[in-house]
Amino acid sequence: MVCLIGGGQEINTGEAGLPEWFDAVRRKFSHWNVYVSNTLSDSEYTRGTNLDEMLEGLKYTLIDELHLSVSLRSFRSERVSEFVKAILNVDKARAKELFEELKTNYPIVLTRNITEAKDWVKKSARGSERYGIIASSGATRLKPFGIWIQSKIDAKNWFLKDKDDVRSSYFLEDTATEFDIQGLELDWTIVAWDANFRFNDGIFTYHNFSGRKWNNIKIYEKILYLKNAYRVLLTRARQGMVIFVPEGDDSDLTRAKSFYDGTYNYLKSIGITEL
C-alpha cells in the first residue's frame, strides 16, 4: 500500500491528520513494515507530537527519498507551498526570501479593491486558462462585496463551464470555499481574505462569526482547521494569485478597519506588490 499524504490539509471536523494514520496501523496492523520520509517531523504532519512518538510501536524505516519535494500543482514555482507556510507561521524573513525567488515566475499581488482584483485575473489569464474567486467557509462578512460563501457552488459547472456561463468560475460571481477546491486547482485565483483569520501585534488570531459579532476561537482543532483552510486557499493557483483584503468600515462593527488593516500591512511588509 502506497499513501501520498500532504501536510496541513485537515480542514474539517473529524480529520485528525497523519498521527491518526499511524494510530490505525498500530491498532490493527502492527505487524506491517512501515516506510516513511524523514521529513515527517515537520509540525504540519505531527500536530504537536514528535516523530518518535508518532511511530512508537511500529516496525518502521525512515527513507529520505520518500519525500516528494517537487510540487506539481504550481508548475511555475516549486516554492509556493513553502512561501505560504512561512506566511502562516509568521516567519517573515523566510517569507520575504521566498517571495523574491518566486515573484517573477509566479505573480502574487495585493489589493483592497475587488474590482481591481477581478480585472487583474482577467488580464493575467491567457486563452483557456481558468480563474475564479475563492474564500474561507467562515468568511461571512465579505458579503458586502458580492462574495457570499453560503451560496454553494455547483462544482461541475464552476470548474468546467466556459466564459459565457454565469455558473462558471470565469464569471467571478460564485465563490468556492476550501471544501470545494481542496485537491483541485485554477490557473489564477482571487483569494478573498476575511476577518475570521486576522493578523495583529505579530500573530494571527482566529475567529468565527455568530449573529452580530466575531468570537474568538479557542479550541485547538478549530484553530488548526482555520489555519489550514487559508493554507488550502493560498495554494490553489497554478500560475498566480491576487489577494483581496477589504478596507473595512468602522460604521459597521462587524467589519471594523482594525480587523483587516493588520493582515494587509503584514502581507505588504513581506514585499507583495500592491495593485
Side-chain angles (χ1 to χ4, degrees), residues 89-149:
N89 289 348
V90 198
D91 186 349
K92 190 173 176 180
R94 184 60 175 152
K96 282 184 174 182
E97 178 184 341
L98 289 166
F99 182 71
E100 288 301 314
E101 291 182 22
L102 62 84
K103 66 181 182 181
T104 301
N105 293 321
Y106 187 95
I108 303 173
V109 295
L110 187 62
T111 185
R112 311 201 79 164
N113 185 307
I114 189 60
T115 301
E116 286 185 348
K118 291 179 178 181
D119 289 343
W120 186 84
V121 291
K122 289 177 182 178
K123 291 175 181 176
S124 298
R126 297 289 181 269
S128 62
E129 292 175 354
R130 196 163 199 99
Y131 50 82
I133 301 177
I134 58 179
S136 159
S137 58
T140 57
R141 295 308 296 135
L142 295 175
K143 188 177 181 181
F145 305 96
I147 300 171
W148 184 225
I149 47 84

Side-chain angles (χ1 to χ4, degrees), residues 52-220:
D52 290 337
E53 185 179 344
M54 278 204 306
L55 298 173
E56 185 178 0
L58 299 177
K59 297 165 60 178
Y60 71 90
T61 302
L62 298 178
I63 300 178
D64 296 357
E65 289 79 8
L66 288 178
H67 176 56
L68 304 180
S69 59
V70 177
S71 170
L72 296 181
R73 173 175 293 119
S74 306
F75 65 88
R76 282 192 171 188
S77 175
E78 300 169 4
R79 314 305 293 275
V80 176
S81 294
E82 190 177 351
F83 170 65
V84 169
K85 176 183 175 182
I87 289 176
L88 299 180
N89 289 348
V90 198
D91 186 349
K92 190 173 176 180
R94 184 60 175 152
K96 282 184 174 182
E97 178 184 341
L98 289 166
F99 182 71
E100 288 301 314
E101 291 182 22
L102 62 84
K103 66 181 182 181
T104 301
N105 293 321
Y106 187 95
I108 303 173
V109 295
L110 187 62
T111 185
R112 311 201 79 164
N113 185 307
I114 189 60
T115 301
E116 286 185 348
K118 291 179 178 181
D119 289 343
W120 186 84
V121 291
K122 289 177 182 178
K123 291 175 181 176
S124 298
R126 297 289 181 269
S128 62
E129 292 175 354
R130 196 163 199 99
Y131 50 82
I133 301 177
I134 58 179
S136 159
S137 58
T140 57
R141 295 308 296 135
L142 295 175
K143 188 177 181 181
F145 305 96
I147 300 171
W148 184 225
I149 47 84
Q150 292 186 356
S151 178
K152 187 167 178 59
I153 67 166
D154 183 333
K156 67 180 184 299
N157 292 322
W158 198 83
F159 282 103
L160 298 176
K161 292 298 183 180
D162 59 28
K163 294 180 180 179
D164 296 326
D165 195 309
V166 298
R167 299 168 295 176
S168 76
S169 67
Y170 285 123
F171 240 76
L172 300 177
E173 289 187 0
D174 293 335
T175 303
T177 71
E178 69 272 20
F179 299 118
D180 301 311
I181 205 166
Q182 187 182 36
L184 299 167
E185 300 89 30
L186 299 176
D187 291 296
W188 304 88
T189 60
I190 299 172
V191 179
W193 198 308
D194 201 6
N196 59 331
F197 188 57
R198 62 184 85 152
F199 188 84
N200 278 306
D201 297 325
I203 61 171
F204 279 108
T205 58
Y206 305 80
H207 310 266
N208 59 26
F209 189 78
S210 177
R212 298 181 297 175
K213 64 178 181 178
W214 293 100
N215 300 301
N216 293 326
I217 298 176
K218 298 180 180 179
I219 299 173
Y220 172 77

